[in-house]
Amino acid sequence: MHDFASTPWTPSSWRSLPVQQEPSWPDEDHLNRVLTQLASEPPLVFAGEARTLTAGMAKAGRGEAFVLQGGDCAETFAADTATNTREKIKVLLQMSTVLTYGAKMPVIKIGRIAGQFAKPRSSETETVDGVTLPSYRGDAVNGLAFTEEDRIPDPDRLLGVYHHSATSLNLIRALVGGGYADLNRVHQWNREFVADSPQGKRYELMADHIQSALDFLHAIGINAENSEKLRATQFFTSHEALLLGYEEALTRLDSTSGDWYDCSAHMLWVGERTRQLDHAHIHFLSGVRNPIGVKVSNRMEPNELLDLISVLNPDNEPGRLTLITRMGASAIRDALPPLLAAVKEANKTVTWITDPCHGNTITSESGYKTRRFDDVLDEIVGFFAAHDAVGTVPGGVHMELTGEDVTECLGGDQDIADLDLSRRYESACDPRLNNAQSLELAFRIAEILQRRRNIV
Ligand code: PEP
Ligand code: CO
């Protein structure tokens, strides 16, 4: 194991360690010029906001709140429109309302948004009709079009990531703070969406109940004008910390605390392919004070996980470290309990959430990369069951979803079949649950939370 003590942390100390998934940038000088420019740009988020999220994640770790983290697998510059952002926020607000109403618990809302532009790839290359080209690594690196030119990594794209993140974040802040998230709009979020679908109708019913509670509050003098909580909500951003040069450039010293924060997003996570204990990504995240996450598959051994926790959260600070399990519906019931037990036994304080997407990716008969709604749900059910068996806290969900009516995942109430996938398959990377499937899942999770609440 690498001796971390011999590598004192600075924002650039990761450079002396092995780095996985780093693109082959054709021109180092060009890359460095871009990174120097990014280092002089304003931060996108502030340290105090990240600390607020840490406190929220700590609550979720104790079972006093529930985390809803979701958004695209890969954001793209072309799809980064005001409409798409608003629809994503809308579906997340709807889901969060369903969960809050069902679980009677605050929901911590975190988007895979305003920065999720880089993708790790299992294969360096992609072959289509006998032609082999470098894999698409996200708009942060190269282009999706299957041409030689598009697939060349271009550092100027990192400036695009920064600017797209800034404009998205600006819109998100306006939406959640400027009246769009006002609970009195609970009905409006349903309009032009799935109002006629079974999920839409179910949502309408719940919205009626919420409206009636709001009318009651209004009658006794509590309303959106005098209560911030009714008028606005908190919404946080997150992405995979994959391109460490970019993350380093956005890492700033917080004058209040004297600590380093990666100000590209509130929360950063390290993926399944870059979580090697003695490598650059884990080392980088060990030194920034944001709340951080690590993806944990069924290939993780208990001892490896305990070592990882010691490196990333040596002070056992609540909310600092979130473990995002992604094991697959068929593996989670066997693979998760030993990890939960080891962490509990060692008295390590972490927040556990489930990513029920990445362990359930399949190729459909017609050749689409897809997921079955039922597998996604089954992994969530397995996640709760594993925590109940060990006596630990299931703290939330992390999902790939979109606010659009796409056809990328199979099943759900709409009963999307293999032959439907071609109708609106728009993801640049992994398949996303569409708006109706996302809402349906929120209702199913709310039912589970409600049941557990009644038992506890
Ligand atoms: C992702 O979250 O898009 C991803 C690539 O996940 P993982 O690292 O768990 O495979
Ligand atoms: Co993905």
Side-chain angles (χ1 to χ4, degrees), residues 312-373:
L312 292 177
N313 192 16
D315 300 330
N316 221 14
E317 182 196 349
R320 154 74 175 164
L321 177 60
T322 296
L323 300 177
I324 311 167
T325 61
R326 35 88 82 217
M327 304 191 157
S330 58
I332 188 163
R333 288 170 180 82
D334 291 331
L336 184 54
L339 297 178
L340 299 177
V343 171
K344 184 183 176 190
E345 177 87 356
N347 282 320
K348 300 290 187 188
T349 306
V350 299
T351 300
W352 294 98
I353 69 176
T354 177
D355 162 359
C357 295
H358 286 89
N360 294 309
T361 314
I362 54 167
T363 304
S364 76
E365 267 176 43
S366 67
Y368 280 96
K369 197 179 187 187
T370 188
R371 294 169 183 142
R372 290 189 196 93
F373 179 90

Side-chain angles (χ1 to χ4, degrees), residues 72-74 112 116 118-122 240 269-275 294-297 299 324-326 355 357-359 361 371 398-400 429-430:
D72 291 308
C73 178
R112 280 176 70 114
Q116 178 57 19
K119 295 311 299 173
R121 301 316 303 246
S122 301
E240 177 171 351
W269 77 85
V270 167
E272 171 70 9
R273 291 161 192 78
T274 50
R275 60 167 170 76
V294 181
K295 293 288 195 85
V296 173
S297 77
R299 286 181 290 278
I324 311 167
T325 61
R326 35 88 82 217
D355 162 359
C357 295
H358 286 89
T361 314
R371 294 169 183 142
H398 173 122
M399 299 201 292
E400 286 186 344
C429 195
D430 290 342

Side-chain angles (χ1 to χ4, degrees), residues 59-60 63-67 96 99-100 103-109:
K59 279 189 170 184
E64 297 161 13
F66 196 74
V67 176
S96 136
L99 290 168
T100 310
K104 305 286 183 279
M105 235 198 276
V107 171
I108 317 287
K109 295 169 278 299

Side-chain angles (χ1 to χ4, degrees), residues 15-289:
R15 291 176 181 276
S16 66
L17 298 170
V19 193
Q20 301 291 322
Q21 298 282 340
E22 184 64 16
S24 324
W25 302 104
D27 181 347
E28 281 289 311
D29 289 343
H30 185 183
L31 175 65
N32 289 333
R33 276 197 307 278
V34 166
L35 295 179
T36 304
Q37 184 181 337
L38 284 171
S40 70
E41 299 287 352
L44 294 173
V45 304
F46 290 96
E49 297 174 316
R51 282 192 286 273
T52 302
L53 180 56
T54 301
M57 298 310 266
K59 279 189 170 184
R62 290 191 294 269
E64 297 161 13
F66 196 74
V67 176
L68 172 63
Q69 185 171 25
D72 291 308
C73 178
E75 291 182 276
T76 62
F77 298 160
D80 179 25
T81 62
T83 306
N84 276 342
T85 301
R86 192 194 61 219
E87 293 303 298
K88 257 178 275 176
I89 297 300
K90 188 159 78 177
V91 77
L92 286 165
L93 286 175
Q94 283 194 296
M95 293 172 78
S96 136
T97 307
V98 168
L99 290 168
T100 310
Y101 189 76
K104 305 286 183 279
M105 235 198 276
V107 171
I108 317 287
K109 295 169 278 299
I110 312 171
R112 280 176 70 114
I113 203 167
Q116 178 57 19
F117 292 100
K119 295 311 299 173
R121 301 316 303 246
S122 301
S123 174
E124 288 288 317
T125 57
E126 185 185 346
T127 302
V128 175
D129 297 333
V131 180
T132 300
L133 291 177
S135 294
Y136 170 62
R137 292 180 173 275
D139 275 15
V141 178
N142 56 6
L144 182 58
F146 195 70
T147 65
E148 211 159 315
E149 198 191 341
D150 251 67
R151 294 296 168 92
I152 299 170
D154 177 1
D156 282 342
R157 287 176 165 275
L158 296 173
L159 299 171
V161 170
Y162 175 80
H163 290 295
H164 279 277
S165 300
T167 52
S168 282
L169 194 53
N170 182 53
L171 182 58
I172 294 167
R173 290 187 192 280
L175 287 171
V176 302
Y180 191 75
D182 185 331
L183 256 186
N184 288 291
R185 295 180 59 103
V186 67
H187 275 292
Q188 262 130 309
W189 299 334
N190 208 29
R191 296 247 169 89
E192 88 252 12
F193 166 33
V194 277
D196 298 332
S197 73
Q199 299 314 321
K201 294 212 173 82
R202 202 170 169 193
Y203 179 86
E204 279 294 291
L205 212 61
M206 185 201 70
D208 284 343
H209 290 197
I210 293 175
Q211 192 59 56
S212 136
L214 291 173
D215 292 346
F216 170 77
L217 289 178
H218 197 261
I220 61 171
I222 300 169
N223 54 46
E225 280 78 58
N226 63 25
S227 168
E228 166 83 17
K229 290 248 184 307
L230 294 182
R231 192 170 59 239
T233 189
Q234 277 184 319
F235 190 96
F236 299 96
T237 59
S238 69
H239 61 257
E240 177 171 351
L242 187 68
L243 300 174
L244 295 181
Y246 177 83
E247 303 304 337
E248 174 190 338
L250 270 295
T251 294
R252 309 295 161 82
L253 197 59
D254 169 41
S255 55
T256 311
S257 62
D259 289 328
W260 291 99
Y261 282 82
D262 182 345
C263 296
S264 70
H266 299 111
M267 178 196 181
L268 287 313
W269 77 85
V270 167
E272 171 70 9
R273 291 161 192 78
T274 50
R275 60 167 170 76
Q276 301 80 2
L277 193 56
D278 48 0
H279 285 201
H281 288 82
I282 292 296
H283 176 73
F284 177 78
L285 277 202
S286 74
V288 294
R289 297 305 303 155

